[in-house]
Amino acid sequence: MTASLGAIHEDNRLLQAKYNITAWFYDILDYPWERQYRHWRSVLLKDVRGEVLEAGVGSGRNLRHYPSDVNLIGIDICLEMITRAMKRGKAALCNIDLRQEDATIMQSIPSNHFDWLVSTFLCCVMPDHLQPLAINQFERVLKPGGRFRLLEMVYSKNSRLRRRQELLTGFIEKVYGARFDRNTLSHLERSEKLQITDAYFIKKDVYLVIEGQRKD
Ligand SMILES: C[S@@+](CC[C@H](N)C(=O)[O-])C[C@H]1O[C@@H](n2cnc3c(N)ncnc32)[C@H](O)[C@@H]1O
């Protein structure tokens, strides 16, 4: 496994600094949620094959769920998170190359190369004004016909559930930089090169999976 340094968009410096601190507590803080996420991770990754890019790899929670015939590059803006992912990656079945890269730039990532682009809980962290830049990179790095699958969280339409989410908003934004009101689906719908093939909730109307492919 390798770790290399890439360029970071200036508007991501604050988020990067936040995660350099959050990384120390991330797995403990996330544990109550991770108990359910881990079941979804294996479901979401079981059909992923070939050359795969995971954007926002975090502490590497997805790594052990990739099938053995995957060649994975995992990127994250935060080196402290990558350090944790490297440890977790030792239990993985597939080849892994972890890099410090900003998903809005992807300096070292080749074009037209990937069969799959995966990210879980990246775009709910990424400011809306940067998401079109990341989507441009998704378009660039996927092969024609290459597929993507994102897992994000959004506000529920159920008023009781939404009130509970609103109570958590301050905490999750302070600690994770995450928000429930990012417009990832709309940004993807505006892409001329990516086609959404499915968007469904994996739990309640909160945990949203968005799937699609790069047009030829
Ligand atoms: C909420 S964590 C999710 C981590 C992991 N994907 C998971 O499912 O547990 C979000 C991760 O995205 C990373 N991140 C945020 N913005 C990024 C960007 N522009 N490029 C790459 N990584 C980014 C953060 O450093 C953090 O590790």
Side-chain angles (χ1 to χ4, degrees):
M1 242 180 284
T2 56
S4 50
L5 305 181
I8 304 289
H9 193 294
E10 273 316 302
D11 294 359
N12 272 325
R13 291 276 174 212
L14 224 68
L15 192 64
Q16 185 187 38
K18 185 190 289 289
Y19 267 91
N20 275 328
I21 298 168
T22 298
W24 292 89
F25 316 100
Y26 187 88
D27 285 339
I28 296 167
L29 289 174
D30 221 39
Y31 181 72
W33 288 287
E34 187 56 35
R35 286 172 64 194
Q36 56 174 345
Y37 296 166
R38 66 177 174 225
H39 302 293
W40 305 345
R41 295 184 194 281
S42 57
V43 173
L44 293 174
L45 299 174
K46 69 173 188 295
D47 62 339
V48 168
R49 292 285 181 283
E51 300 298 320
V52 180
L53 180 69
E54 182 176 337
V57 69
S59 64
R61 290 289 192 187
N62 286 331
L63 297 179
R64 74 184 171 92
H65 300 287
Y66 285 102
S68 57
D69 53 356
V70 158
N71 250 336
L72 181 82
I73 297 180
I75 62 169
D76 203 284
I77 43 167
C78 174
L79 262 188
E80 290 291 346
M81 294 297 272
I82 292 174
T83 306
R84 283 150 185 83
M86 286 180 103
K87 287 192 190 131
R88 205 155 263 136
K90 289 181 184 151
L93 303 171
C94 65
N95 288 327
I96 300 173
D97 172 358
L98 297 175
R99 304 181 185 182
Q100 189 201 29
E101 279 283 2
D102 185 333
T104 67
I105 299 176
M106 298 199 191
Q107 195 172 36
S108 72
I109 307 298
S111 302
N112 305 315
H113 181 78
F114 293 94
D115 300 294
W116 275 93
L117 177 294
V118 170
S119 84
T120 54
F121 305 117
L122 167 67
C123 293
C124 52
V125 164
M126 189 179 289
D128 267 305
H129 74 283
L130 295 179
Q131 293 202 21
L133 298 180
I135 290 169
N136 287 345
Q137 293 303 316
F138 299 173
E139 294 167 350
R140 177 181 72 78
V141 301
L142 279 171
K143 288 175 183 167
R147 297 171 65 183
F148 66 87
R149 184 171 288 144
L150 314 185
L151 170 62
E152 300 302 337
M153 53 185 197
V154 296
Y155 272 124
S156 171
K157 291 197 168 45
N158 174 295
S159 54
R160 281 180 63 185
L161 183 48
R162 182 169 172 128
R163 271 199 299 279
R164 290 219 310 267
Q165 290 176 298
E166 281 168 350
L167 287 177
L168 281 174
T169 301
F171 170 78
I172 66 155
E173 186 159 15
K174 196 168 183 62
V175 175
Y176 302 104
R179 298 175 60 104
F180 295 104
D181 60 358
R182 307 276 191 216
N183 295 302
T184 307
L185 186 58
S186 312
H187 294 304
L188 281 164
E189 280 167 348
R190 281 195 281 276
S191 164
E192 287 180 5
K193 295 193 180 145
L194 300 180
Q195 178 187 17
I196 297 170
T197 52
D198 205 359
Y200 59 92
F201 291 107
I202 199 163
K203 187 177 176 195
K204 298 191 173 148
D205 61 343
V206 171
Y207 292 100
L208 177 64
V209 179
I210 309 170
E211 299 186 349
Q213 61 184 35
R214 184 180 143 182
K215 296 175 193 167
D216 286 339

